[in-house]
Amino acid sequence: MSERLQPGDVAPAFTLPDADGNEVSLADHKGRKVIVYFYPAALTPGCTKQACDFTDNLEVLASAGYDVIGISPDAPEKLAKFREKESLKVTLLADPDKRVTEAYAAYGEKKNYGKTYLGVIRSTIVVDEEGKVSHALYNVRATGHVAKIIKDLGI
C-alpha cells in the first residue's frame, strides 16, 4: 500500500486508456489544474451520483481552470457504457491493474457492514499546474463531495 499523498507532493505520473481506448496522461494537462478522482465501479449508484455531480459542475470547474479525470478499475468498454448511459462529460480512465490507483494510495483496506476487504478507496486528489498535489482527500462520500471541493477550492 502506498503512503497517502500530501499537499506539496509530486503527483504520480500516469498514462491510462480512456473510454474510447485513447491514451491519456497526467502530463497532457501540464499548466492546468486537474481534479483526479478515484471511484470503485462504473454504473453503481454512488459512483453514478459522483460522476453526474462532476459533469453537472464541469463548466464551473473548467472556468476556474480545472480539468476533471475519473479513474476506476473498469475496462474502457464499461466506461464507454457508463458515459453514454449517464451522459457524462468528465474524462473517464481505466486502471484495471490498479497501478495508478495504488500509486495515489486510493486502494487499500475498507470496512463495510463489519467486513474488512481490499478495494478502491473513494478519493480525490487535486493537482496544480506544476504537477504537485494541492489537496488530497480520502474516504470521501459520493453525495455532496463535488460541492465540498468547489467550496474548498474557493470557486
Side-chain angles (χ1 to χ4, degrees), residues 124-148:
T124 301
I125 310 300
V126 182
V127 180
D128 69 15
E129 301 89 338
E130 305 300 312
K132 286 196 163 49
V133 174
S134 67
H135 296 72
L137 309 160
Y138 291 94
N139 294 310
V140 302
R141 301 184 71 80
T143 306
H145 177 60
V146 176
K148 182 184 179 334

Side-chain angles (χ1 to χ4, degrees), residues 21-87:
N22 302 313
E23 299 279 301
V24 175
S25 299
L26 182 59
D28 299 341
H29 297 269
K30 191 116 174 97
R32 302 236 341 133
K33 295 173 276 200
V34 187
I35 295 170
V36 182
Y37 77 96
F38 294 88
Y39 62 99
L43 301 167
T44 58
C47 298
T48 298
K49 171 85 179 105
Q50 188 177 21
C52 288
D53 276 357
F54 272 119
T55 292
D56 293 346
N57 289 285
L58 203 55
E59 279 183 37
V60 172
L61 293 164
S63 65
Y66 290 90
D67 296 334
V68 179
I69 297 173
I71 298 177
S72 76
D74 299 303
E77 300 78 30
K78 187 173 179 188
L79 296 179
K81 197 180 294 180
F82 186 34
R83 181 185 63 199
E84 304 315 316
K85 182 174 188 280
E86 303 299 337
S87 303

Side-chain angles (χ1 to χ4, degrees), residues 98-113:
K98 302 178 197 69
R99 233 183 19 251
V100 175
T101 306
E102 286 182 9
Y104 277 76
Y107 185 81
E109 213 170 77
K110 295 171 66 165
K111 283 186 172 50
N112 202 6
Y113 302 112

